Amino acid sequence: MRNIKFSLEGKVTFCLSFVIGTLILLGYLLTKNDSLVWIGFYYVLIALIINLLMFFHELIFFLSNIPNNKTHGNSALLMLLNVPITILYISIVFNL
């Protein structure tokens, strides 16, 4: 099996976005505190901007030299994984 490599910036951004979003969701599920819904809403907006900036950063690096920048291409794809995760988390909150 091939070892898929990611750029450090992309990996850290993805992991931080995922962990913080998961903690906010778990906090809401455990406490049912409505203020966490608002915190989560604003967090999604801020994370969207940061993740979009990082996605385009990784994509530009990848496209500038495709054969030598595969880690940046992998990171750009990893950043896109936050989209379905966010949709899942939002659907969980609104269906409770």
Side-chain angles (χ1 to χ4, degrees):
M1 189 160 118
R2 290 183 60 200
N3 186 12
I4 299 174
K5 296 184 182 192
F6 303 98
S7 72
L8 180 63
E9 301 93 353
K11 188 170 23 174
V12 167
T13 304
F14 169 80
C15 289
L16 282 175
S17 294
F18 178 77
V19 168
I20 294 170
T22 301
L23 290 175
I24 293 170
L25 176 66
L26 289 175
Y28 173 72
L29 293 175
L30 292 173
T31 66
K32 301 292 191 224
N33 184 343
D34 288 336
S35 64
L36 285 174
V37 173
W38 287 106
I39 290 169
F41 173 73
Y42 289 115
Y43 171 73
V44 166
L45 293 178
I46 293 167
L48 174 69
I49 293 167
I50 292 170
N51 279 284
L52 274 174
L53 290 172
M54 183 56 67
F55 170 75
F56 286 118
H57 165 79
E58 296 292 339
L59 188 62
I60 289 168
F61 269 83
F62 173 66
L63 293 175
S64 67
N65 190 357
I66 293 173
N68 296 324
N69 288 330
K70 290 194 189 267
T71 59
H72 292 286
N74 292 339
S75 292
L77 292 173
L78 183 65
M79 301 304 298
L80 291 176
L81 187 58
N82 275 325
V83 174
I85 292 170
T86 302
I87 292 169
L88 174 67
Y89 285 8
I90 290 171
S91 69
I92 289 171
V93 168
F94 285 127
N95 287 319
L96 289 180

